[in-house]
Amino acid sequence: MDFNLLVDAVSQNAAFLEQTLSSTIKRDDFTARLFDIHKQVLKEGIAQTVFLGLNRSDYMFQRNTDGSPALKQIEINTISASFGGLASRTPAVHRHVLSVLSKTQEAAKILSNNPSKGLALGIAKAWELYGSANALVLLIAQEKERNIFDQRAIENELLARNIHVIRRRFEDVSEKGSLDQDRRLFV
């Protein structure tokens, strides 16, 4: 929760972002293009009144000098909602492996985890706040998407709530998408 609040605060501080990312923007085209979009949005004025951040924190274990394990955050991913669907299945895989190894007590300690449901709940709330029963959720995917099954888990969670998802490539949105006078996207 605290990291999400931090990321949100940083995302709204244009001067801090420009200062902090200045050397990266000079060397990394992807970051430079994202920052150009950021500046253009600020120039035009922000039209939305509701914002949704889908963040994923990644952790790894590190051995301390005394040999004890310590959980360390290695990344906070703010660009996509990947691996929610796959991570939802991971506890069952771990339980199965431990059961095959006759470690049933350890298997029973594995907690369930359903991040695809949590991601879908956030998207569903944003869809609800948008205020149009005719609205669709737009999922932007790569041409040769490798995470399609992972993404489908979130789509299925949304469909169970009668919220429909359309999949498009960036190119499709660029070629066929348009904004109305209120800057709502139509594809």
Side-chain angles (χ1 to χ4, degrees), residues 23 36 38 41 45-47 55 61 71 80 88 105 111-112 116 120 124 129 132 155 166 169 178 186:
S23 63
D36 286 343
H38 171 73
V41 168
I46 297 173
N55 303 325
F61 279 106
L71 194 61
S80 69
S88 298
Q105 288 182 331
L111 300 175
S112 293
S116 59
L129 291 171
S132 172
E155 288 181 58
I166 57 172
R169 298 172 306 140
S178 63
F186 290 85

Side-chain angles (χ1 to χ4, degrees), residues 34-46:
L34 285 177
F35 198 74
D36 286 343
I37 292 168
H38 171 73
K39 289 191 301 188
Q40 183 67 33
V41 168
L42 291 179
K43 180 180 171 186
E44 292 176 11
I46 297 173

Side-chain angles (χ1 to χ4, degrees), residues 44-71:
E44 292 176 11
I46 297 173
Q48 300 98 318
T49 57
V50 175
F51 302 89
L52 172 65
L54 299 175
N55 303 325
R56 184 190 78 223
S57 292
D58 295 343
Y59 301 88
M60 291 185 83
F61 279 106
Q62 174 180 308
R63 290 265 177 223
N64 292 326
T65 53
D66 67 358
S68 63
L71 194 61

